[in-house]
Structure formats: structure tokens, C-alpha cells
Amino acid sequence: MSNYTSYRNLPELAGICSMAEAMKPGLSVEQCVTRLKRYHYTFKRLHQIFTARITAEPVYELKSGFSLHAHLCAEHVSALRKRVGEMREPPLGLEEVPDPNLEIFFDEILGAPTTEDLVAGLYEKALPALRAALERHIADTNPLTDYPSVRLCRFALMEVDDMIKFGAQAAASLVDPKCRERIGSWLGLLEDCLAAAGGLTGTQTPSGNKIDRRYSAKPYEYDRLPRRDERFPDPYNMGVNAEVFLYDEKFPPQPKTLMMFYKRLREIDVPEMMSSIITETSNKPWDYYRDMTRQLWDEARHAMMGEVGFVNLGIDWRKVMINFTWSLALNTQLKPIERHAVLYFIEQGLMPRNGKRFEWEVGRASHNPLSALFQDYDWADEVLHAKIGRDWYLKEFDDPRTAVQYGDKCWSRILMGWAKWREEGLTQHRNWWPDVYRDACRHWGIEPDPAVLAYSTSYENVRADLKAISASA
Ligand SMILES: [Fe+2]
Ligand SMILES: [Fe+2]
């Protein structure tokens, strides 16, 4: 058939590959499924690690990066589950561990004691091994017969490459030569795990070596205390009530954009809190984890919108006291379902007129195009979050009213130690507003409005839904 040609030299085989490539033996369905399950397991464990390590990781850029990477991994888990389901009848065995040495590999990274170990383990060992496995799949399989898997691998590779790129830059800044020396033998242990598993694909001859656990010798314990880096110098500060200012009609829209940027940036506490719900809730259908992680990522994105808003105005956001009191309180005082209840209660309260629509209108009226754009998408994302709440929280209750009341009740139960934190010297609840407003006025080239400058309502007595404490969504 060497003289075989397509009609008028049109691309043959839908442009997928050459005739010769389509004749290669490739992988059987059984071999293909076996490999796909190993990539699935890898993405699932990566999702778990990225999610679980958001809360206690102090560095804001890593919290954001982990939030995105958890979301990306969750999406690829979903795609691979679907593909395995197309090729095999249930039970699909997707919850099984494909190789005990792979389990040790990911347990070790999950239990990494420092940020440096974690970053090196994730981005220098796990993700590059996954990249090699996906590339290997494309090289080994028949591109025509296994086209749907090839497509998944190609899409996954794009995002795996993005993650590796992020990680390489993070490691270059965080892992210094001395640290490298310290973690070298542990990174070697990770390689030993992969060798004992026959590589991530499982196609190499297993080394036969027995692996001794190091960081995972003791079972992993999720750390639910939020931590922040030094750019968050006053994390208990609840001295400026953004919502009271925002909903007060006597204040003009322009300074309100600052309060909205503050509210957005403060939302980094939502991934810190949702990480705890996702990590501490087991045995849900996979779609639960995928949807919740999508929301977690959206909330990290909202925080970054706030960051961009401040940078755009030339304001040093370190002067804005971005607290963690909400994630701290929810993570330490409530059970996972109760935290979800509070989240749902807050989010459904954002749907009527005085919620996200109002914020968008303020953004538009302020003539700050970025504020309007951010609030436009923030609102759209919130509609999705309300749906995620209906799909996964509301279903736990017989009627929606009981579900909302339960959320209100759980939120009211939370003790915000406003006075206690001050007595203990954790914060003075300093009113940072006048400094930040003055900086913005300088940027705008206007004189501060004395009424706006004098604003000094804290969260001592008023909750962010104007009932009485601070909320994020
Ligand atoms: Fe949000
Ligand atoms: Fe939200």
C-alpha cells in the first residue's frame, strides 16, 4: 500500500496522523486503561495536596498558585474518570491505589514539613513525572484508535507545563543552595518511590527496593490554622467595616472602589476555609470535589482582582490590614458541614439587590473601569457559586429554608474575639482607612473628602451582612 494516497492529496485520517502511524500496534484497551488510571491517581493526589496545603502556607502567591493548580488537577481527574468510564464497565476501580509505592510517593509530598520541600516535591518530582508519562502515552498509543485519550493527554500537558513553569520560578526564589543540600536525599527518596513503582506509567521494571517512609512515617494531619506572610502584619485587625461604608448612601462611589478592592483581596480567606471543607469531607462523589475546588479557585481569583485594583491605583496593599479572622474562626470553631452552611448563607444573601449587583453598579458609577470589570465577573462567579451551593449543600436538607436558617445559626454561633484579641495584644484594630484613602486621593489628584476621611466604623458590633462580624464569598 506504499502508493496509497488520499483523495486529491487532502489530509488523510482527519489530519490526526499518517497512515504509517495509524498502523502501529499501540496499546490495547486494557493497557491504556491501566495507564490512564495511574494518571488519574496522580492528578487526584496532586489535587488533594494542593488543596490541603493552602491554609497553613503563609506565602500569598503560593496560596493563589495552589488554588489554581488544585482546580486544574480536579478538572483533569474528571476528564480521566469519564474516559475510563467510556472504555470499561463499572466498577471502574477508580478509588483503588494503582501501586503502593505511588501512594508513598504522594504521602511523602503531602507530609512535606516545609514550603521548600513541598514546592520541590510537587513541581520538580511529581509534575515532571506526570508530564513524562503523558508524553509517553501519546508516543506509545495508536493515535487513531486511542484518539480520545490522546486528546486528554494533550490538553493535560498544556496545563501540566504551566504548573511546572510556575513551580520552577517559585523554587528558584525559595529553595536556596543550602536548602537544596538538606532536601536532596528526600528528593532521592521520591525518585526511589517512582523506580519501585515501575515509573509513573508502570511500564518500567520495578526496582524491587523497599521504600522507608520519612515525612509520611506518621499519618498526615491537616493544619487548619491559616497563616500569612509578612505582608499581612495585622491579621486580627477588624478595625474597618467595609460593608457599612459600602452601603452608606452618603458616601460617593469612588472611595467605595477601595473598600471593594479590600473586600476582594480579603477573600484569600475563602480558599483557606474551603480547603478545610474539601480536605475534611470524605466519601462524596468526585463532582463534589471538582465543583468545590472550582469555587475555591474563583475565590483566590477574586482576591487577586483586589490586589490588581490596589496596584493599579499605586496603593501599597500592605497598608490595608487584610485579616484572616473569618477563616480562622470557621476552621477552628465549626465542623465542615457547618462551614459550608455559613458559606451558603453568605452567598445566597449576595444574590438580591444589595449584593453583587450593587457592587457592580458602584464599580460602574465610580468610573474606575477595572472595578466595574472585576465586579461584573465577581457577580457572574457568584451565580455559579450559588448553584454549587444548591447542588452540594442544599441537597443535605429537606427544605431550603431550614438549610439557610442552619447557615445563619452556625454563623451566629461563631465567636469573633474582637475585644479579646485586643486585650491579648494580637491587634489594636487600628483604623487603616484614612492612610489608604489619602494615598488614593493623591493618585486621583483630589483633596480628601473630610466625611470620607473621618470614617471609623469597625466590625466590633456590626457583622458584614449588616446584622452584626466579617464575611467573605
Ligand atoms: Fe468571591
Ligand atoms: Fe463566592
Side-chain angles (χ1 to χ4, degrees):
M1 291 298 283
S2 59
N3 56 355
Y4 179 83
T5 52
S6 63
Y7 176 70
R8 291 169 69 183
N9 208 29
L10 259 66
E12 54 194 8
L13 303 173
I16 294 172
C17 61
S18 70
M19 202 52 71
E21 284 165 328
M23 290 176 192
K24 75 174 189 185
L27 305 173
S28 69
V29 168
E30 186 58 32
Q31 288 169 325
C32 174
V33 168
T34 304
R35 290 199 195 185
L36 291 183
K37 283 188 184 174
R38 292 171 80 104
Y39 321 146
H40 166 266
Y41 179 74
T42 300
F43 274 122
K44 204 166 77 155
R45 293 299 311 266
L46 285 170
H47 164 266
Q48 175 207 19
I49 298 167
F50 281 126
T51 307
R53 299 292 300 251
I54 290 168
T55 309
E57 169 52 55
V59 179
Y60 163 76
E61 281 78 2
L62 291 179
K63 283 186 201 284
S64 314
F66 289 176
S67 298
L68 170 59
H69 298 168
H71 160 63
L72 298 180
C73 290
E75 294 297 321
H76 292 296
V77 169
S78 292
L80 284 162
R81 294 178 83 89
K82 186 161 164 271
R83 176 65 181 143
V84 171
E86 290 165 2
M87 300 169 88
R88 284 288 178 250
E89 293 292 336
L92 302 176
L94 287 165
E95 313 318 325
E96 283 158 29
V97 176
D99 187 302
N101 293 301
L102 284 185
E103 185 172 44
I104 301 176
F105 179 82
F106 291 108
D107 287 352
E108 283 289 314
I109 302 176
L110 178 65
T114 70
T115 298
E116 292 83 358
D117 295 87
L118 181 63
V119 164
L122 284 168
Y123 296 105
E124 294 180 1
K125 293 297 164 202
L127 282 160
L130 179 56
R131 174 166 64 188
L134 294 168
E135 282 169 346
R136 178 79 191 267
H137 192 104
I138 294 171
D140 288 354
T141 202
N142 182 301
L144 181 65
T145 58
D146 192 22
Y147 180 78
S149 308
V150 170
R151 181 170 176 270
L152 290 194
C153 292
R154 290 173 69 206
F155 277 119
L157 272 169
M158 276 171 35
E159 295 186 330
V160 166
D161 279 338
D162 289 346
M163 292 188 255
I164 291 174
K165 202 172 147 213
F166 172 96
Q169 199 181 329
S173 309
L174 295 172
V175 189
D176 61 23
K178 216 178 132 213
C179 178
R180 241 185 222 284
E181 212 174 284
R182 179 182 66 76
I183 63 178
S185 81
W186 178 65
L187 293 178
L189 185 144
L190 293 181
E191 276 167 26
D192 293 345
C193 292
L194 289 178
L200 212 147
T201 48
T203 51
Q204 293 150 28
T205 311
S207 68
N209 294 339
K210 190 190 165 295
I211 307 295
D212 288 323
R213 288 175 181 268
R214 194 175 304 175
Y215 296 157
S216 66
K218 268 195 286 172
Y220 170 73
E221 248 183 82
Y222 169 69
D223 187 349
R224 60 174 71 89
L225 292 182
R227 283 187 191 80
R228 300 280 175 87
D229 64 54
E230 61 271 22
R231 292 166 300 170
F232 300 81
D234 195 1
Y236 292 87
N237 183 311
M238 292 182 75
V240 179
N241 191 311
E243 290 75 16
V244 167
F245 184 85
L246 195 57
Y247 294 111
D248 191 331
E249 283 172 16
K250 81 170 182 284
F251 295 125
Q254 194 182 39
K256 286 183 179 175
T257 58
L258 300 174
M259 284 302 193
M260 292 199 292
F261 292 147
Y262 163 56
K263 274 169 64 74
R264 297 287 78 78
L265 183 48
R266 193 179 63 189
E267 284 192 66
I268 196 63
D269 62 1
V270 191
E272 288 170 345
M273 191 286 283
M274 290 195 75
S275 148
S276 76
I277 302 182
I278 296 169
T279 303
E280 297 183 325
T281 304
S282 36
N283 299 320
K284 290 276 190 186
W286 174 254
D287 285 351
Y288 167 88
Y289 299 101
R290 186 203 53 198
D291 289 352
M292 292 291 279
T293 309
R294 164 60 200 270
Q295 180 175 345
L296 177 151
W297 159 236
D298 290 349
E299 308 295 8
R301 216 152 40 75
H302 297 165
M304 290 184 277
M305 290 179 194
E307 177 191 5
V308 173
F310 281 126
V311 174
N312 176 252
L313 294 176
I315 292 173
D316 180 354
W317 61 261
R318 290 173 299 183
K319 293 183 182 175
V320 182
M321 296 305 134
I322 308 292
N323 57 49
F324 61 23
T325 49
W326 186 78
S327 52
L328 177 72
L330 267 68
N331 284 9
T332 55
Q333 297 177 34
L334 298 181
K335 292 191 297 222
I337 183 71
E338 297 171 329
R339 294 173 211 145
H340 203 170
V342 171
L343 185 67
Y344 182 74
F345 175 73
I346 293 169
E347 299 207 301
Q348 58 87 38
L350 294 172
M351 287 300 111
R353 265 216 64 82
N354 64 347
K356 291 296 168 189
R357 171 193 278 273
F358 176 79
E359 291 191 338
W360 174 65
E361 286 169 350
V362 171
R364 298 230 306 175
S366 73
H367 302 297
N368 179 326
L370 267 184
S371 178
L373 179 73
F374 291 162
Q375 293 311 138
D376 201 7
Y377 278 84
D378 185 62
W379 184 11
D381 290 340
E382 216 48 69
V383 174
L384 174 66
H385 300 169
K387 183 185 181 297
I388 293 172
R390 286 197 299 278
D391 287 349
W392 296 113
Y393 168 70
L394 223 52
K395 274 190 198 154
E396 306 273 318
F397 294 82
D398 290 332
D399 86 295
R401 273 180 50 134
T402 320
V404 174
Q405 281 163 2
Y406 182 64
D408 193 10
K409 207 180 82 194
C410 292
W411 198 15
S412 305
R413 236 181 59 206
I414 292 172
L415 298 171
M416 284 286 187
W418 205 95
K420 192 174 118 242
W421 293 330
R422 194 161 58 180
E423 281 159 29
E424 288 172 359
L426 290 171
T427 182
Q428 293 306 313
H429 296 296
R430 185 178 69 81
N431 179 8
W432 46 264
W433 169 252
D435 289 346
V436 170
Y437 174 56
R438 255 192 229 102
D439 286 354
C441 288
R442 223 168 287 135
H443 177 88
W444 289 321
I446 58 168
E447 277 303 308
D449 172 340
V452 172
L453 195 64
Y455 181 71
S456 67
T457 304
S458 77
Y459 284 107
E460 184 170 13
N461 299 314
V462 191
R463 195 166 77 176
D465 62 349
L466 305 180
K467 247 165 117 183
I469 326 184
S470 128
S472 291

